[in-house]
């Protein structure tokens, strides 16, 4: 790795650590976390010259439902997207799930955008709808879900 790349990675790590220290984990509300996921995801879409996601109540319901289920069980898993396809009347659906990130912006930038399959969902031009769910388990860990859709 070149020194410029090392410096860039180190600077990014330092900035994210500073951000996580500046905002205590307990200060983040569910609505802030979910709003930050949605906003950070649309920022990534804009950076790649893609249309922003639109909020849609049905995919939002399934994102929140999934985050709640994972938090209650204190484990990460995917839901049956066939149900989402049928109930939301979609032609295409996708999902990203994660846990352990104290901020919504971090789960997007550090988690999903650094993982090729998750990044592919975020940057898939066919997806136009987005729901973002987040809940904290009794163990204090955040669980997050994104549900993507195309009518």
């Amino acid at each position: 790795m070149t020194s410029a790349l090392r410096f860039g990675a180190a600077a990014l790590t330092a900035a994210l650590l500073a951000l996580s220290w500046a905002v205590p984990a307990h200060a983040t509300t569910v609505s802030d976390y979910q709003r930050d996921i949605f906003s950070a995801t649309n920022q990534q879409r804009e950076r790649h010259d893609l249309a922003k996601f639109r909020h849609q109540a049905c995919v939002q319901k399934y994102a929140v439902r999934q985050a709640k289920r994972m938090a209650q069980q204190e484990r990460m898993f995917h839901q049956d997207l066939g149900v989402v396809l049928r109930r939301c009347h979609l032609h295409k659906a996708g999902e990203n799930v994660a846990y352990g990130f104290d901020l919504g912006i971090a789960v997007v930038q550090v988690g999903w955008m650094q993982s090729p399959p998750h990044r592919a969902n975020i940057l898939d031009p066919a997806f136009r709808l987005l729901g973002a769910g987040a809940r904290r388990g009794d163990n204090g860990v955040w669980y997050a879900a994104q549900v993507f859709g195309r009518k």
Side-chain angles (χ1 to χ4, degrees):
M1 182 185 300
T2 69
S3 60
L5 287 176
R6 258 187 255 122
F7 176 76
L12 176 61
T13 301
L16 289 170
L17 285 173
L19 182 61
S20 67
W21 283 102
V23 180
H26 57 69
T28 300
T29 67
V30 168
S31 60
D32 289 342
Y33 200 110
Q34 291 177 172
R35 184 182 59 246
D36 290 348
I37 288 173
F38 199 91
S39 176
T41 302
N42 270 332
Q43 287 172 5
Q44 292 298 325
R45 297 277 289 195
E46 282 184 302
R47 285 188 187 122
H48 292 87
D49 296 320
L50 296 167
K52 286 183 174 184
F53 284 113
R54 293 185 317 268
H55 182 268
Q56 198 248 11
C58 191
V59 293
Q60 177 67 24
K61 175 177 87 171
Y62 282 98
V64 169
R65 178 178 172 250
Q66 181 61 15
K68 283 181 181 178
R69 289 173 57 212
M70 292 188 305
Q72 288 168 348
Q73 296 179 34
E74 295 182 348
R75 66 184 184 94
M76 186 178 69
F77 57 95
H78 287 280
Q79 64 186 306
D80 178 1
L81 292 177
V83 173
V84 178
L85 283 166
R86 287 188 303 278
R87 300 252 171 98
C88 296
H89 308 288
L90 302 174
H91 288 81
K92 182 177 180 175
E95 176 178 72
N96 286 345
V97 296
Y99 73 99
F101 293 89
D102 288 339
L103 301 169
I105 192 170
V107 74
V108 174
Q109 293 179 350
V110 180
W112 293 323
M113 287 304 289
Q114 301 306 313
S115 164
H118 297 97
R119 178 187 177 93
N121 278 339
I122 290 170
L123 300 180
D124 186 334
F127 287 134
R128 301 308 292 263
L129 308 172
L130 175 65
R135 289 297 186 273
R136 184 175 280 173
D138 289 340
N139 59 1
V141 173
W142 281 101
Y143 294 82
Q146 289 180 308
V147 175
F148 304 92
R150 175 74 185 220
K151 286 275 185 187

